[in-house]
Amino acid sequence: MESPRQKLGFLYYRVISDRIKHGEVITSHETPLEISKRPTENEAMDELFQMYNEVRYDERNQPDEETVCNLREKLFD
C-alpha cells in the first residue's frame, strides 16, 4: 500500500473482518457510520471509524500517515 488513504482503508477492512470473525453480524448494506454507532470500548476503533468517515467520501481530505501508523499500532500490536 502506498498512500495513507489506502492504509486507512486496509485498517478499516481488517477491523471489520476481525469483528465478523468474532461473531458480530455486519451486513454489506451497512455504512461505516452505521457500524461506528455500535457500542465499543476500544477508543482506537472509535478513532479509526471517525477518521475513515472523514476521508472516505472526500478525496481532497488525506489522512496523516503518522496518525494512521499510530492507529495501526493501537489496534493490532
Side-chain angles (χ1 to χ4, degrees):
M1 285 168 264
E2 298 177 16
S3 73
R5 185 181 196 83
Q6 289 173 326
K7 291 175 184 178
L8 182 64
F10 180 74
L11 283 179
Y12 175 80
Y13 165 79
R14 193 161 162 206
V15 164
I16 295 299
S17 297
D18 284 350
R19 288 174 74 167
I20 290 171
K21 189 185 307 182
H22 288 95
E24 190 169 339
V25 177
I26 298 176
T27 58
S28 61
H29 72 275
E30 290 181 282
T31 66
L33 183 60
E34 292 171 331
I35 297 168
S36 71
K37 290 182 180 179
R38 294 180 181 187
T40 179
E41 295 179 13
N42 188 335
E43 290 180 24
M45 199 175 296
D46 294 338
E47 184 180 343
L48 169 69
F49 279 108
Q50 180 181 357
M51 188 183 308
Y52 187 75
N53 281 322
E54 290 173 2
V55 301
R56 180 164 187 233
Y57 300 108
D58 187 0
E59 291 191 20
R60 297 172 296 173
N61 192 358
Q62 293 293 323
D64 177 56
E65 184 154 8
E66 184 176 336
T67 305
V68 173
C69 289
N70 290 337
L71 190 56
R72 180 187 57 80
E73 290 174 5
K74 290 179 193 176
L75 289 166
F76 298 107
D77 289 338

